[in-house]
Amino acid sequence: GSRFQVLYLLHGAYGDCTDWQRYTNIEKFAQEYQLAVVMPSADNSFYQDMAHGKNVKTYITEELPRFIEYMFPVSGKREDKFLAGLSMGGYGAYYLALSCPEQYSRAASLSGGLDLCGIRDGVAGGSIPGPFCFHDIFERPDQIMGSDADLLELYRGCRKRGCEPALFQAC
């Protein structure tokens, strides 16, 4: 009758759902800590509901948890649900946790691409080689700052409502 805590583990750019299994000991850690781990694929979407593409945020925050909680003995409680990600997935972990703070109690960004405007400008200027089509991801890529994709704005909103998740960052 017990329910597992669940970690949604997000891949980085150019990656997919198999990265964590191929390049880490996630299976060992999941068994050791009795933790369910869900590793969705999100292409190079920055975990957004894309302007011209997939609704990745909706998939990961609504559809996938509903399916996982129906199919497996995992807890649906906020305090038992976590997000973590590498690089683009580090941004995604913070973005999803701060967008849906009622769902996730903690998020970890591992070498996260947190400066979305800096990445956008670097890709546009050619200093960052990247697979990101910002015009497909965002309706107005020039207006990311201050939008619902801006991590600082999302954090301020969570703080104001007193519901911010615990955040961990490592580089």
Side-chain angles (χ1 to χ4, degrees):
S2 64
R3 299 265 180 207
F4 291 98
Q5 292 178 315
V6 62
L7 168 65
Y8 290 86
L9 195 52
L10 309 179
H11 65 79
Y14 298 105
D16 65 25
C17 63
T18 65
D19 288 359
W20 295 100
Q21 289 175 296
R22 288 185 291 141
Y23 303 121
T24 73
N25 289 323
I26 189 61
E27 185 177 351
K28 176 182 141 195
F29 293 122
Q31 289 177 355
E32 182 178 335
Y33 293 102
Q34 296 294 290
L35 179 69
V37 181
V38 178
M39 297 169 275
S41 284
D43 299 323
N44 294 320
S45 66
F46 269 98
Y47 296 89
Q48 303 287 317
D49 280 348
M50 298 172 67
H52 307 286
K54 299 175 184 174
N55 289 331
V56 176
K57 175 186 172 191
T58 299
Y59 169 65
I60 294 175
T61 62
E62 296 176 25
E63 298 168 11
L64 187 58
R66 227 179 359 254
F67 175 77
I68 295 297
E69 290 166 23
Y70 176 77
M71 293 296 293
F72 301 101
V74 299
S75 174
K77 297 177 186 173
R78 178 186 190 263
E79 62 268 17
D80 293 332
K81 289 172 37 176
F82 321 112
L83 289 155
L86 173 70
S87 189
M88 179 190 75
Y91 168 87
Y94 277 14
Y95 168 68
L96 298 174
L98 294 169
S99 295
C100 304
E102 69 285 350
Q103 287 184 276
Y104 307 101
S105 62
R106 290 171 169 66
S109 177
L110 309 172
S111 298
L114 303 179
D115 180 8
L116 198 53
C117 292
I119 295 168
R120 174 203 60 206
D121 296 345
V123 169
S127 63
I128 298 175
F132 308 111
C133 266
F134 280 91
H135 286 286
D136 286 338
I137 299 170
F138 303 98
E139 190 70 43
R140 297 292 311 265
D142 59 322
Q143 295 181 1
I144 291 172
M145 190 175 292
S147 75
D148 63 359
D150 184 333
L151 296 179
L152 291 175
E153 284 299 314
L154 290 169
Y155 184 77
R156 286 183 193 112
C158 289
R159 278 299 291 259
K160 186 184 264 186
R161 295 188 316 273
C163 63
E164 69 272 15
L167 301 175
F168 174 82
Q169 181 176 341
C171 293

